[in-house]
Amino acid sequence: MRTPHHRRRAALPVLLSAGLLLTACGTDDDTASEAGTETSDEAGVPVNEPIVTTYDGGLYVLDGRTLEVIEDIELEGFNRLNPAGDDRHVFVSTSEGFQVLDAVGAQLTDTVFAADTPGHVVRHAGRTVLFADGTGEVTAFDTDALGEGTPADLDTYTTEEAHHGVAVELENGELLVTLGDEEERVGAIVLDGNHEEVARSEECPGVHGETTAEGEAVVIGCEDGVLIYQDGEFTKVDGEDDYGRIGNQAGSDDSPIVLGDYKTDPDAELERPEQVALVDTADASMTLVDLPSSYTFRSLGRGPGGEALVLGTDGTLHVIDPESAEVTDGIELMDEWEEPLEWQEPRPALFVRGETAYVSDTATDQVHAVDLSSGEVTASVTLEETPDELSGVGH
């Protein structure tokens, strides 16, 4: 039985044309300040709390408050985005590696962390960790050091076999890194500061993705549940099905509960799930929540109070109370849509920062900013190109 919930229709503001919003550089101020204030770089382009979205052939840098298009940067190829972990930079995964975008300055820098098939970027405890799928090389550095170009102090580690993996560095210096090769992925190990193994679990077939929860509990997804690492030990949480794949997770420092996608058909060309998983890291339990629609891997987020957010194919941003596992609200933002078969194809995406949810609508080429406390759309923009990946600065 699906949980009843309240659905609100967001009031959309007057939409703005990207063609009218492209602006030139206008100030020589090269100082930077904390997020939430207007900052600028040497080129003199001030950007408030930048939001970045890719399109086929480039990316847009948007003002996070007004969604004004500050810069249109041409960049060939299928490019992916990840926050760098600070209040200024975003990583753009290109054919060359992880390239640094100065989002506040609205310019792509020459700083590139060379990588064969750049994969996941993880931010945690003041450290940023990059994983190169083509080689298994892990690169970690102090997030704050990124403002000076390539950090001088880089910690590196290479997995025994290259694979599509992920790594996260904990506050005590331990490094959790996935286990696998090109054929299969089986689990994770934890290394101390000298890269000596201190913990291992091979109970996570098809391991994919990670997040952290309250109390620095690290959760990685498996094809049959999740694996939790906390206080020096791994704990397996089984899914409710023999094949219960969780591959994308969203955690919150304010909650012990992690939101994850949940798929049950290993033979599907493209499964369109209508359930999400809530994993309680405090008691190693899992609860499934039924939704009124399907969703995609770009649909998951967490609100300022730890609430779970899911952008559904019914055009609604669903709000879930992680404690009660009930859908408590829904904000209607767009018409119904269908997930494309190819994962690289554009589909609506969700990026959450603080009390604002940023949502793209690929049918109308729009991006909306939604105040999560009121459910109101505070800004919108219509772009000249269809948005794909959606991200921004922030921790």
Side-chain angles (χ1 to χ4, degrees), residues 29-348:
D29 182 10
D30 63 357
T31 59
S33 60
E34 297 296 323
T37 62
E38 186 175 274
T39 52
S40 63
D41 78 330
E42 293 179 356
V45 183
V47 186
N48 290 306
E49 302 170 346
I51 293 297
V52 184
T53 182
T54 63
Y55 62 87
D56 184 10
L59 51 90
Y60 294 116
V61 179
L62 311 177
D63 184 293
R65 298 177 188 172
T66 66
L67 295 186
E68 176 183 359
V69 178
I70 302 300
E71 196 64 59
D72 179 355
I73 301 172
E74 293 185 2
L75 187 64
E76 293 301 317
F78 176 72
N79 304 298
R80 310 207 67 187
L81 300 173
N82 285 282
D86 63 4
D87 295 324
R88 187 175 188 103
H89 302 96
V90 171
F91 276 111
V92 183
S93 296
T94 72
S95 59
E96 301 299 321
F98 300 93
Q99 187 163 1
V100 178
L101 170 70
D102 179 357
V104 167
Q107 63 178 353
L108 200 59
T109 74
D110 294 329
T111 302
V112 179
F113 294 77
D116 180 352
T117 316
H120 285 273
V121 177
V122 176
R123 295 84 48 198
H124 181 70
R127 299 279 285 177
T128 300
V129 182
L130 314 177
F131 194 100
D133 291 348
T135 59
E137 184 176 23
V138 177
T139 304
F141 53 89
D142 288 339
T143 304
D144 291 343
L146 195 58
E148 305 301 323
T150 303
D153 188 9
L154 299 177
D155 292 332
T156 61
Y157 170 81
T158 303
T159 60
E160 290 186 6
E161 299 286 345
H163 63 282
H164 178 49
V166 67
V168 56
E169 186 173 317
L170 305 182
E171 289 182 0
N172 63 3
E174 289 181 339
L175 181 70
L176 183 149
V177 60
T178 51
L179 281 171
D181 55 33
E182 293 182 353
E183 301 299 323
E184 62 176 352
R185 303 186 298 276
V186 298
I189 59 173
V190 177
L191 310 172
D192 63 17
N194 296 317
H195 290 169
E196 296 293 330
E197 184 177 318
V198 296
R200 169 184 289 253
S201 174
E202 297 186 19
E203 296 184 89
C204 190
V207 58
H208 186 272
E210 67 73 43
T211 193
T212 53
E214 186 179 68
E216 203 176 32
V218 182
V219 178
I220 58 176
C222 318
E223 290 179 349
D224 57 0
V226 300
L227 201 59
I228 301 172
Y229 180 75
Q230 189 175 29
D231 299 328
E233 295 182 348
F234 279 107
T235 302
K236 180 63 182 290
V237 180
D238 292 324
E240 295 191 11
D241 302 85
D242 291 338
Y243 181 87
R245 183 183 187 273
I246 295 177
N248 300 277
Q249 310 88 24
S252 168
D253 291 337
D254 298 318
S255 172
I257 299 173
V258 165
L259 169 68
D261 56 359
Y262 192 79
K263 295 184 176 182
T264 60
D265 185 357
D267 300 319
E269 179 182 14
L270 174 65
E271 184 174 354
R272 295 182 169 93
E274 296 187 7
Q275 288 181 311
V276 291
L278 295 174
V279 178
D280 192 333
T281 61
D283 61 11
S285 64
M286 181 185 298
T287 302
L288 300 183
V289 180
D290 291 326
L291 294 174
S293 72
S294 63
Y295 57 93
T296 81
F297 68 95
R298 291 184 184 151
S299 293
L300 307 181
R302 300 300 290 269
E307 61 269 38
L309 304 172
V310 183
L311 180 61
T313 57
D314 57 355
T316 297
L317 181 61
H318 301 284
V319 182
I320 304 171
D321 182 334
E323 297 292 338
S324 66
E326 293 183 350
V327 181
T328 59
D329 202 357
I331 305 170
E332 296 182 6
L333 295 170
M334 65 190 77
D335 292 336
E336 293 184 7
W337 51 279
E338 183 176 79
E339 179 181 5
L341 288 175
E342 297 295 330
W343 71 268
Q344 297 96 336
E345 290 295 315
R347 81 281 313 280

Side-chain angles (χ1 to χ4, degrees), residues 15-23 68-69 381-382 384:
L15 301 178
L16 303 174
S17 169
L20 298 175
L21 292 173
L22 291 174
T23 59
E68 176 183 359
V69 178
V381 66
T382 300
E384 292 183 343

